Every structure is written in structure tokens, then in C-alpha cells.
Amino acid sequence: MYIKRNDAGDIEQVSRVMTAECREPLASDSPELATFLNVAARQENNELRQSDLEFVRVLEDVIEVLMNKGVISFTDLPDAARDKLMARQNLRRRVNDVGLMDDSDSGVI
């Protein structure tokens, strides 16, 4: 393995072959390399997880548009999909409800 270090001496890039940037050889079983790869993998997993969350919202919006246009109906969805969609919509409503007003006597919390 070949690595590139930053000014602090930490690994910032890794390559299986020597490149213009990665010129320093490092054993593939190096603890330092393992640490770098684990941190990089966690960062990529976090980015993928965030992307998944954002994409779920896109899918919800697409389903809603298709239903509003009459392309599909709610009952066309499998039971599990309907349950999950309803649960997310209810959760989103609760989260988006700022709860500043109350139906009690004064109307103020």
C-alpha cells in the first residue's frame, strides 16, 4: 500500500499502487492503515445513511405525487408499505407540529 500524509503526518489518502500523490509505502497490515480505513469506512457509511434518509423523503414525495395524480392509489401499495408510509406521515406531522397553541382555556401553553 502507498499513502499520502497531511502536514500533521496523518494518512489522508491510500492507494494500492504508487501514484504521484501516494508515494510512501506502508504495510497493508499496519495498525495506522487499519485505523485510517476504519475511520474512512465509518465516514462513508454515515454519508450513505444520510443519503438514504434524504432519499426516503424523495420517495415519499413521489408516492404522494403519484397518488394525487391518480396514477396509483393508497390501496395499490402492499400492506407493509402502507403501514410504514402512514407511520412516517404521522411522525412527520407530530415533529412538524410546534405545539405552541393548546385548545385549553387560554389557548397558550
Side-chain angles (χ1 to χ4, degrees), residues 3-91:
I3 63 168
K4 175 183 177 186
R5 295 184 185 274
N6 61 20
D7 292 337
D10 300 321
I11 297 174
E12 70 174 19
Q13 191 174 6
V14 177
S15 175
R16 292 186 189 273
V17 296
M18 186 183 297
T19 66
E21 296 85 23
C22 299
R23 304 189 62 77
E24 179 185 337
L26 189 66
S28 60
D29 61 351
S30 161
E32 183 182 20
L33 182 60
T35 299
F36 172 79
L37 294 175
N38 285 334
V39 168
R42 276 194 305 265
Q43 181 178 355
E44 287 178 346
N45 283 336
N46 288 340
E47 290 171 9
L48 182 59
R49 190 173 296 113
Q50 182 61 38
S51 175
D52 286 349
L53 293 173
E54 292 166 0
F55 194 68
V56 165
R57 182 56 197 258
V58 169
L59 288 176
E60 288 179 68
D61 291 345
V62 168
I63 291 169
E64 186 174 329
V65 166
L66 292 173
M67 287 190 300
N68 289 341
K69 290 185 176 255
V71 176
I72 62 171
S73 67
F74 187 72
T75 56
D76 291 336
L77 300 172
D79 290 342
R82 288 193 307 241
D83 293 344
K84 289 176 183 161
L85 190 58
M86 288 300 297
R88 286 191 54 79
Q89 287 173 345
N90 290 333
L91 180 60

